[in-house]
Each structure stands twice: as C-alpha cells, then as structure tokens.
Amino acid sequence: MLGPYRIVSLLGEGGMGAVYRAKDTRLGRDVAIKILTALTLSDQERVQRFEQEARATGMLNHPNLLTIYDVGNENGTAYIVSELLEGETLRERLERGPLATRRAVDAALQVANGLAAAHEKGIIHRDLKPDNIFLTRDGRAKILDFGIAKLSAKSDDGGIFQQAATEPGLVLGTVGYMSPEQVRGEKVDTRSDIFAFGAILYEMLTGNRAFKRSSSIETLSAILKEDPPELAESLPNVPPALERLTRRCLEKDRDLRFQSARDLAFNLETMSAVSTPGTFSNVPLPSAAHSTTHSTTHSTTVRAQPDVTARRTPATAIRPVTSAMPATIRHPALAVQKPRRVSPFLLTLLFIVAIAGAAWGGWYFATNRMKEEEPPEVVFHRMTFRRGEVRSARFGPDGDSIVYSAAWDGNPSEIFLANRQSPEARSLGVKDADVLAVSKSTELAVLLRRDRLTGLGTLARVPAAGGTPREVAEQVLQADWLPDGSDLTAIRGGNGTFRIESPIGQVRYESPHELSAIRVAADGRIAFVESYTGKNDVAILDTKAAKPVSIARGWSHGVTGLAWAPNGKEIWITATDTGAPPSLYAVNIETGDTRLINRLTGSMRLYDISPAGHVLLSNGMWRAALEVQAPGETSEHDLSWLDWSMLADLSHDGKTILFNEPREGGGAASAMYLRRLDAPTPVRLGDGYGDAISPDGKYVLGHSGSKLVVVPTGSGEARKLKTDGAFDSGAAWLPDGRRVVVAGALPKKGYQLYLIDTLDESVKPVSPENIWGDAYRPFAVSPDGRYVAGMTKQQTIALYPVDTNAEPSIVPAIEPGEVPIAWSADGASLFVYRPTALPAQVTRVTLATGAREPWKQFSPTDPAGVYKIAPICITPDGTVYAYNALRMLGDLYVADGLR
C-alpha cells in the first residue's frame, strides 16, 4: 500500500523513477503511480523537478494532456498518481515507419491542442519529443513528461512554484528536438515548443529525424545552421500547405514561426477535415505485439502480458450433442423411405430470396441507425435581400421576432423589425442607429451616432414599436440588458481606458485594453472580449467577482460575435486565428475547450441564439477596393488584386503603388505587392506588410512580424532593422532616401513620431509622447524634408522640425480629427481629410494663412456597403491619387440545426 493505493504490479523503470499499476481503494479505479528511485539526501534537484512535474501537469486539464489525480508523500516516498494509459508512444509507432499524411495531421492537431492548453496556463514543455507523446488504444494522443517544464511569466501558481535548473545559459532538452534558442542556452518561450513540434511532425511524415547526424555535436550544429531535406523528397505528393506549415514551425528565428500553438492548431484543423476533433481516429490501434502500458510523464514503457485466463476455454464449454438411433424400425409408418428430391430451381429461388431479404434487412436497420446517429441537417433561412451591410441583430423575447440594424444602398444605418418566419421587415424610423439588445419587455437598447473609427456612440432606450429614443449614456461601445430588463450593462470608453459598468454608472471592471462583444447570461454572468497586443480573449465576469476569468485566449484575428448558448454551459463565438474568414465555435465555460461548429465561405458573424436554439448570424464578403486615377487619365480604375488590397503608398511620380494583401488571399503572414500603373499585374515582394516606397523607388520599408524591414524592389535580400519597439503600419521616407518617419512606441515610452536611419539604425523622437494616432499614417513629410506634419494630443495638426529642437507650430484652421495626407509640391499647403467621413472630403489648407479650399470629394459610384474611405494617397502636384473603399456586403440568416 502507498497511501490509499494498493500496488498491483511494476510497469517499468526509467532514469528518474519507477511506475506501478495500482488500484485506488477509495474509488475502485486503476491508476498509475510514479515514485522517485535511488533517492539520496543530496538529490534536491530531482525532488524539485519531480514536484515541479506534479504541479505543472496538475494545473492542466485537457483531453490531450496526461491527467494527474493526486500527489502525496508516504514515509518520505513522494509519489504522483495519474490516469493509466494503454497504448504505445509515438516513438514506438515511428519504429514501424512513418504515418500516413492524413493520420500525421490528425495526430499533430491533437498535440497542438494540448500544447495550446499548456501554453495558455503559462507552462512551456521544453522537452517535446516522440517519446513524450502517447497514442492510446481508444484513439487519443496525449502529451507526457512536464518534468523540465518551465512556467512562463503569465502563469499563476500562487507563488509555490520554484524553478528547477531553468535559468538562461543552462541547456535542457533532448538533442534533435531542441530549438535553436535552447541550443544557445537562451531564454525559451512557447515558440521553442513549436520548433520541437515541427521536428516531430517532420518525423511523423517522413519517418526520418529532421536533424539527425552522426554525433550530438553535429546534430546541435545542424539545428543552428541547416534545414532538413524537403518533405517532397520523401513525399512527392505532400500538400504544399502542409510543407509550408512544417517549414514555418522549423524557422531558426522564433519571430518567423507560428506565434502561438492555438494559431498552429487552427491551421492544422483546416487540413484535417476527415478526423473527429479530439480523437486520433485514423491511427491504427496497436497490435498485441506492440501493445504497451504507459502511465508516466517519463518515457517508461513495458510490454503488456497476454491475458491467459481470457483465452482459456473450459472443457465443458462445447459438448457434442448426439441421439441414438434404434437398430430396427418395427412400425411400418416409421420405416425409412427414400427422400424426395428437391427441385434445383426452387433451391436457387429460395437462396436468392434469402439473400435479398438479408440485404434488405441489413439496409433497413443500417439506414434507420444512421438516421438516429446523424446530426440534424443545418438549414439557413435568408432574412435580408438588399445590398448593404447588416450591422447588428437580436431575437425578441419570443424567439421569433427579430430586430436588426442595417445600412442599405449606401444610406445610414437604421433599425428594422422582422419575423424569422418571413423576410418581410419594416423600419422603426430610428435613423443612424444600431440595435444592441432587446429586453424581456421588448424595449430596445440602441447606439446612436456611432463613430466609425472608435465605435463609440450614445446609448439610448426606445420602445420596440418605435418612437423617440431616450438617451442614457455617452461614450458607449456596446451594451446588453440585465436579466430582469430594468437596467443595462455597458462597455464605455474614453481617456485611453475601457470599463464595464453594470448597471450604468457602477464600474465593475476597468482595463487599458479594448473591450467588446458584451453579453449577459440569464444568471447575470457577463461575457465579453478583451483585446491586447494583437490577441483577443473571451472572458467571464461573475456576478460577485472582482476580476474576470479568461476561458479562451489568443484569437489573433479577432472575435466578431459572441452569444451565450441556451444551456449556459457554452459561449458561442465567431472568430479566427488566421487571415481566413471567421467561423463558428463553441467554448466550454468550465474547461475552455473549443470546438468547431460550422465554417462557411465568406465572413460569418454571430449575433444571437434564441432559447429554442435558433441562431442569428450574418454572412458576407469584405472587400477593400483599390481605386486609382493614373497619370494622364481623368477617370478611376479598380486595381484590386486579391480579396483585401490595402493601399500603403503612392510614388512621388505617381507611376507606382504599394499595397498589401493581409487577409485570406495573402496567407497567414500577409503579402506585400508593388505595381506599376502601366503594368497588367503587380509584383509580389514577399511576406509581410509594406509601408512606404523610397524616393528612388529602389526600396520599400515594411513590417516582417514585429520588426521593421528594408525590402529591395529589385534584386537583393531583405534586411531587418535592429530596432526595439512597436511601430504602426505606414511610414514616410525623407528625400535623402535614407531616413524614414514612423509612428509607435519604444519600451517605456508613449506613442509618438520617430525618425529612423535605415543605415545606422539610430532612432530619434520627432514629436512629443502620447500624440493622437488612430488613423493610417497620420503624418506627412515636407518636400524639403525639414518638417513632419503630424497629430497632436488634441487631434489637431502640428509641424514638427526634423533636424532641430525648435518648437512645433500648430497648423491653423484645422478641424479636430482631420489628418494630413500630403504636402503640395511647393510646400505651401497641406492636403487633409477626415478618415471617418462619408463621402471623404479632401481639403487643401494654406499653411501661412489657414485658408481652406475643397480639393476633391471621394465616393465610389456604387456606395452600397462602403463604410470607410481610407487611406488616401496624393502626388504632390495633385494629378494622381489612389484610395481604398472598404466595403462589407452581407445578409442576415436564421440557422436551424447547429449543434
């Protein structure tokens, strides 16, 4: 006995411990127990790592991670109790050869999901390898051995966790699967596990280790300097997407790898259409010859003995049955007669009927069973048919009425009332408004005069029958009714912070990060999205809690919609981790597990779920139309290339444009393009995001990940700038072709304009800190390079000297919110506009006098769905221009059958 556990047998021994099969006498279940062996008083680090493993793994709860049941110490013997796993390690499976591509992707998806769960708890594995991945007999992949796991800075273990030999400079891990930063003894993060994952995926696909050499030193050198052979050498038909994914995991520079395991898992999910999420259903079950029992977080395996008693057949199990026949038949009626011959035709007919009957019976029962097991068919009922954008929508309390706001045919948004049984709708007469929520008494919460840049507006209440809205609060982003319908919960912004007020006026939570998508459950719990550094977390604020709890973290491309499931146990969201359009997911509130519900072509957005399970959502297409008036022409041309052609810059001579494809068409890393206006097609410069064209047209300043990069437009290699800080997209070159102006923030500094020398990589502030910057490239460089027209804290425009310490001068007659586009060729005036206005009016402002002259108004011929004209680029002589018309065309649907 070890505590309440009765030891049954030894399963195996490893370098650090022994593993036993045991019976939990309290619950009657089989478990695995691991203890340290040959322990001495001086073995403090082994004890520490043993305890570290227990704590690290015990913090995790995920189907693709080993489950820890208990930890204890019996008379000085420390032990860990875990679930008992039956199956084999991935290493043992690979000894029989590589996995089929589909099976490898399914296994990799499960491992990525397990890694994501660990990383979201702040735990880095640091020793991921095939020996530490277990394939169970019931079709599941589990990650083992967190013995040298490291807790990242974001984890919260209550202060009880003490690092065991995990300081920078100490190399821990397994040769062949270590990341380059591990080999160099540098500080590791979650991306180190992603490198190891890439090596494992490579091995699953090819059967060969990615970096195996004749010695450990040569292997470590290969990790630092060499790339593994192309997958196509071993797998001629490997999908290109899988090749790219594997290569990205194995990038030497961690900034170029997937930045989160959740992002990695999402990409794998798109390649695994035939596998059931959460199971390793396509991996063959281990045969008796290869079956092992694994129950530790170390690579300890032991061959399972055959169950002899199960195979033994009792002597009395089968007994022949005979009957004695009399030697003499005495009664004439019982006399043996020659049997009558049965017709062969009749036998054939009976045989055919029997076969047909059996086939029909099998078909009948199989069909009815399939009908019972098949999920209900998903049916989408289209509710709107006009051209434009659906802004928001909610079910009424009866679950049949629908209130939605939409901007049709280029007109401002207004509110409509419809019924899910019919697409007919009537306007409530509330203009320039978006519906936010419907109370039990059918009173509407609406947002008036929403600013298209900040999203803020005025919260108001209005009867469902229509009428004059009663304004409640300013600076509101979103709101929902409290369960009793008497008051509202709202997200309010301003002064660089966001706060949740519930009810209005009572602050429940405040954050410097953007908050959105607030919804209140029937029991009063508040769900919302918090966005920070390019990530989006789904969080819940309980009725009495002081702080929210994140249940789904790291959606890198945003959460567009959120609603409580009727059972209150899940939150449904539309979201994505890549540049692909959002899909519909369900997040388990207790475990944080996420499952895919539905994926449609186009951009899906969830609005509401009725108590009966009807789902209200929109589906549409986002487009960034790239309109250009080329030199010598008097009309515009649409030069859009893929799905989201975002304008970045226009050359001074007006002959070349720089644009980016940051969404689905450009791939996960986005793509930058350069196009001469007289050429039929653009030139792809590479991955990343282009910001500005140099004056001589030979270089482009851009972003590659979080770093600034100088990209040649002709031959040559891109060069990353060694500059710290976070810089916005958009830049402006000085006439010297060496220095650029960017906007952003250095460590421990506020947002401001900086002058960066692309050759010596020096960085110099140009403006004061904390200026306004909520627009694309809100600054412009004068023709002589002496001044930068940029924003102030008050959203006006100032001229900032570049090379002197002179005080900036305020540009007269500028209206708050107007941003500079370009200087005139003579340097005497500025072209300015307001990015949120429709149509977009560009005004020429004379710097000396403040005289304002309307220059041009931008509005597409077809205004339907256009919600913004930005950015705008103009040549100094004003003869050539380019702009983006950002458009969303969508329709509202009611979906039945989604589960």
Side-chain angles (χ1 to χ4, degrees):
M1 297 294 295
L2 194 63
Y5 305 100
R6 186 176 69 251
I7 304 300
V8 176
S9 62
L10 176 68
L11 291 177
E13 293 182 279
M16 288 182 62
V19 186
Y20 296 88
R21 178 192 294 268
K23 177 73 73 174
D24 187 338
T25 59
R26 298 166 302 179
L27 300 177
R29 65 181 172 188
D30 292 327
V31 297
I33 295 183
K34 182 169 69 174
I35 66 170
L36 288 181
T37 56
L39 187 64
T40 67
L41 293 176
S42 61
D43 256 335
Q44 181 58 34
E45 184 182 350
R46 291 182 63 197
V47 175
Q48 203 169 325
R49 284 178 57 186
F50 187 84
E51 294 174 350
Q52 174 171 319
E53 176 188 347
R55 289 171 180 153
T57 314
M59 291 172 61
L60 305 173
N61 181 17
H62 192 274
N64 299 121
L65 300 173
L66 182 72
T67 301
I68 295 296
Y69 294 147
D70 192 12
V71 293
N73 193 302
E74 185 79 3
N75 298 323
T77 300
Y79 61 88
I80 301 175
V81 183
S82 71
E83 62 180 325
L84 184 68
L85 302 180
E86 302 283 341
E88 62 181 344
T89 65
L90 179 59
R91 168 65 65 218
E92 291 172 313
R93 171 61 187 84
L94 289 174
E95 289 174 357
R96 305 198 299 273
L99 279 66
T101 301
R102 185 181 63 183
R103 296 170 181 171
V105 170
D106 287 344
L109 174 58
Q110 294 192 68
V111 174
N113 282 328
L115 269 185
H119 291 173
E120 287 167 5
K121 291 291 187 180
I123 298 175
I124 307 166
H125 193 288
R126 301 204 310 167
D127 194 25
L128 198 63
K129 56 187 176 182
D131 309 75
N132 289 337
I133 297 172
F134 198 83
L135 310 180
T136 67
R137 287 182 178 177
D138 63 355
R140 197 173 295 279
K142 286 183 176 280
I143 302 176
L144 315 173
D145 200 349
F146 283 79
I148 62 170
K150 175 184 181 295
L151 289 183
S152 67
K154 71 177 181 179
S155 68
D156 182 10
D157 64 336
I160 62 172
F161 202 103
Q162 182 180 2
Q163 292 292 343
T166 58
E167 297 302 321
L170 182 62
V171 177
L172 288 177
T174 299
V175 173
Y177 303 94
M178 298 165 65
S179 64
E181 56 268 25
Q182 279 179 287
V183 174
R184 291 190 292 265
E186 298 173 353
K187 183 177 180 180
V188 302
D189 58 24
T190 56
R191 295 170 294 181
S192 300
D193 283 349
I194 290 176
F195 185 94
F197 175 96
I200 294 169
L201 177 56
Y202 184 96
E203 191 171 345
M204 285 196 293
L205 293 168
T206 66
N208 301 317
R209 300 194 186 190
F211 300 101
K212 186 176 182 181
R213 301 294 186 270
S214 57
S215 69
S216 297
I217 296 299
E218 291 173 319
T219 299
L220 295 176
S221 176
I223 290 173
L224 292 174
K225 301 177 182 178
E226 301 173 21
D227 291 325
E230 298 288 338
L231 284 176
E233 294 181 14
S234 303
L235 298 168
N237 296 322
V238 63
L242 184 56
E243 168 85 43
R244 291 194 299 270
L245 181 142
T246 307
R247 289 290 170 187
R248 187 174 174 188
C249 291
L250 293 173
E251 287 284 355
K252 309 296 184 188
D253 183 351
R254 69 179 91 182
D255 286 338
L256 299 180
R257 298 174 207 152
F258 286 97
Q259 298 299 291
S260 74
R262 186 68 67 191
D263 192 9
L264 172 60
F266 186 90
N267 279 268
L268 283 165
E269 187 176 25
T270 63
M271 303 178 192
S272 186
V274 297
S275 296
T276 302
T279 64
F280 195 67
S281 55
N282 291 306
V283 176
L285 297 180
S287 64
H290 296 95
S291 175
T292 66
T293 299
H294 198 304
S295 55
T296 80
T297 52
H298 292 289
S299 305
T300 306
T301 60
V302 60
R303 303 296 175 188
Q305 298 299 319
D307 188 352
V308 179
T309 59
R311 298 183 181 180
R312 189 176 299 148
T313 304
T316 59
I318 301 176
R319 188 185 299 263
V321 180
T322 61
S323 66
M325 293 190 66
T328 305
I329 301 176
R330 299 186 182 275
H331 198 286
L334 297 177
V336 177
Q337 300 180 11
K338 185 176 179 180
R340 297 179 61 183
R341 185 177 180 184
V342 180
S343 167
F345 173 78
L346 181 59
L347 285 175
T348 303
L349 182 61
L350 290 172
F351 179 77
I352 292 173
V353 171
I355 293 297
W360 180 88
W363 170 84
Y364 177 83
F365 288 109
T367 302
N368 279 273
R369 184 177 179 182
M370 288 176 62
K371 288 180 179 179
E372 292 176 359
E373 295 179 352
E374 284 179 352
E377 180 183 2
V378 178
V379 179
F380 293 87
H381 306 277
R382 186 174 174 182
M383 301 301 301
T384 59
F385 295 85
R386 298 171 66 178
R387 278 177 54 81
E389 177 191 5
V390 177
R391 299 273 179 85
S392 59
R394 293 290 186 270
F395 281 113
D398 58 2
D400 286 328
S401 58
I402 297 170
V403 183
Y404 67 89
S405 50
W408 298 132
D409 306 315
N411 295 314
S413 178
E414 58 181 308
I415 297 177
F416 298 86
L417 178 64
N419 189 285
R420 71 179 184 88
Q421 306 294 344
S422 170
E424 296 293 333
R426 67 177 179 87
S427 173
L428 296 184
V430 185
K431 304 290 187 180
D432 196 9
D434 291 336
V435 62
L436 299 181
V438 183
S439 73
K440 291 182 178 180
S441 60
T442 67
E443 186 178 11
L444 307 184
V446 301
L447 196 67
L448 306 176
R449 304 179 294 278
R450 182 195 293 271
D451 185 281
R452 297 312 300 267
L453 184 63
T454 65
L456 299 174
T458 300
L459 178 63
R461 302 168 64 155
V462 62
T468 302
R470 178 167 64 89
E471 298 184 2
V472 175
E474 303 287 342
Q475 296 292 95
V476 172
L477 185 68
Q478 290 180 343
D480 197 7
W481 291 99
L482 291 172
D484 62 3
S486 62
D487 214 328
L488 290 155
T489 295
I491 297 174
R492 303 183 73 176
N495 299 322
T497 64
F498 290 82
R499 60 190 181 276
I500 294 176
E501 296 182 5
S502 183
I504 301 293
Q506 181 178 330
V507 178
R508 288 287 311 281
Y509 177 62
E510 190 167 8
S511 173
H513 308 133
E514 181 180 354
L515 307 179
S516 61
I518 194 166
R519 297 301 299 272
V520 180
D523 60 5
R525 288 175 296 170
I526 301 171
F528 62 95
V529 176
E530 185 165 7
S531 305
Y532 57 96
T533 61
K535 302 294 183 181
N536 300 268
D537 291 354
V538 179
I540 294 178
L541 183 62
D542 214 334
T543 53
K544 296 181 180 180
K547 292 183 178 180
V549 176
S550 294
I551 62 170
R553 295 182 174 180
W555 295 90
S556 60
H557 282 69
V559 177
T560 61
L562 181 151
W564 288 88
N567 60 15
K569 297 179 180 180
E570 289 184 324
I571 290 176
W572 288 21
I573 60 173
T574 39
T576 180
D577 264 351
T578 70
S583 300
L584 184 61
Y585 296 89
V587 181
N588 186 291
I589 294 172
E590 296 297 328
T591 66
D593 293 339
T594 302
R595 62 183 177 89
L596 175 67
I597 298 174
N598 193 276
R599 179 180 288 121
L600 296 176
T601 301
S603 183
M604 186 191 302
R605 183 174 183 181
L606 173 67
Y607 293 119
D608 204 4
I609 306 175
S610 75
H614 307 300
V615 180
L616 193 59
L617 49 82
S618 66
N619 190 51
M621 300 299 293
W622 295 85
R623 286 291 180 266
L626 179 51
E627 302 287 343
V628 181
Q629 180 173 295
E633 297 188 1
T634 57
S635 60
E636 300 173 0
H637 298 280
D638 187 342
L639 296 185
S640 305
W641 184 240
L642 300 178
D643 62 330
W644 196 253
S645 302
M646 285 301 298
L647 176 66
D649 201 11
L650 174 67
S651 63
H652 286 280
D653 61 6
K655 296 180 179 179
T656 306
I657 58 172
L658 174 69
F659 68 94
N660 300 288
E661 293 287 351
R663 293 206 173 183
E664 189 173 7
S670 300
M672 60 179 84
Y673 288 86
L674 200 69
R675 180 168 188 168
R676 290 191 59 83
L677 298 186
D678 57 359
T681 59
V683 175
R684 189 180 190 277
L685 297 181
D687 290 347
Y689 200 97
D691 294 318
I693 307 171
S694 65
D696 58 8
K698 295 182 179 180
Y699 297 96
V700 163
L701 181 79
H703 278 73
S704 178
S706 61
K707 295 291 185 180
L708 293 176
V709 60
V710 177
V711 182
T713 57
S715 60
E717 295 293 326
R719 176 172 56 89
K720 281 189 177 182
L721 301 183
K722 298 181 179 64
T723 51
D724 294 328
F727 301 106
D728 282 351
S729 300
W733 289 81
L734 267 65
D736 59 18
R738 169 173 176 162
R739 297 176 294 172
V740 292
V741 175
V742 297
L746 295 181
K748 299 181 180 180
K749 293 287 186 180
Y751 184 87
Q752 59 190 135
L753 299 179
Y754 293 96
L755 186 67
I756 298 179
D757 192 310
T758 61
L759 297 183
D760 65 20
E761 302 184 1
S762 60
V763 180
K764 170 192 171 184
V766 176
S767 74
E769 294 183 46
N770 301 317
I771 63 173
W772 185 86
D774 290 337
Y776 179 83
R777 193 171 59 189
F779 52 87
V781 175
S782 64
D784 57 11
R786 296 174 56 196
Y787 295 94
V788 177
M791 306 303 295
T792 68
K793 291 181 181 181
Q794 295 75 29
Q795 298 187 34
T796 58
I797 299 177
L799 303 183
Y800 298 108
V802 172
D803 293 314
T804 68
N805 294 323
E807 288 295 319
S809 57
I810 300 297
V811 177
I814 294 296
E815 297 177 359
E818 288 182 327
V819 302
I821 302 173
W823 294 65
S824 62
D826 58 7
S829 57
L830 274 176
F831 294 100
V832 301
Y833 85 119
R834 189 184 302 277
T836 58
L838 283 175
Q841 175 65 57
V842 176
T843 301
R844 184 168 181 157
V845 178
T846 303
L847 297 176
T849 64
R852 296 173 60 90
E853 174 190 0
W855 181 72
K856 183 174 179 61
Q857 190 175 86
F858 292 91
S859 180
T861 305
D862 178 13
V866 174
Y867 61 90
K868 194 174 183 181
I869 302 291
I872 298 174
C873 293
I874 304 171
T875 55
D877 60 7
T879 61
V880 181
Y881 62 82
Y883 67 92
N884 273 131
L886 307 184
R887 187 191 309 268
M888 172 61 181
L889 294 176
D891 290 297
L892 186 66
Y893 291 85
V894 173
D896 292 327
L898 292 173
R899 297 288 186 270

